[in-house]
Amino acid sequence: MKIVYGTTNAAKIAFMQKQTINLGMEILSLADVNAPKIHVEEYGNSPLENAKIKALAYHEALQMPVFSADSGLYIDGLDDDQQPSINIRGIGDYMDDDMTIAY
């Protein structure tokens, strides 16, 4: 079985390919299937919603089975309104790696 991983993150693709090597499935990258470059607006309220949005957008463009994954950051001790959640780099304004770590 071949399935497309709806991400442009090469590290995520390599990790998933390694994890599924013995499952009889082939994880393909968007580059492997010559996917058109599309902008997917992630407007969901959770990582799961954003993953679904991405998978459906790529499936519509490719007409192939696609899955996607997304993540969020939750920190013990922070109130809900202070949680980075799905906006890992956007608590208020965009934050780079150092700013995110400092936060």
Side-chain angles (χ1 to χ4, degrees):
M1 174 185 196
K2 293 182 180 185
I3 187 166
V4 178
Y5 192 171
T7 184
T8 57
N9 185 319
K12 285 183 178 181
I13 294 165
F15 177 80
M16 192 61 66
Q17 287 171 332
K18 183 179 178 183
Q19 298 303 308
T20 59
I21 199 162
N22 295 319
L23 298 178
M25 54 191 321
E26 184 178 356
I27 305 297
L28 303 173
S29 71
L30 295 170
D32 290 334
V33 296
N34 297 315
K37 289 194 178 214
I38 61 173
H39 173 73
V40 180
E41 183 151 350
E42 299 177 32
Y43 53 85
N45 292 316
S46 70
L48 182 59
E49 287 179 16
N50 282 336
K52 183 177 179 181
I53 290 165
K54 287 188 282 191
L56 290 172
Y58 284 115
H59 169 72
E60 184 175 317
L62 298 168
Q63 295 300 300
M64 297 177 70
V66 177
F67 78 97
S68 191
D70 207 357
S71 59
L73 178 62
Y74 295 88
I75 302 170
D76 279 344
L78 289 183
D79 292 334
D80 287 347
D81 63 335
Q82 295 176 307
Q83 292 291 348
S85 181
I86 58 173
N87 303 306
I88 294 171
R89 298 193 181 276
I91 306 164
D93 294 320
Y94 176 84
M95 298 189 315
D96 63 21
D97 289 343
D98 292 332
M99 295 167 73
T100 302
I101 291 167
Y103 182 81

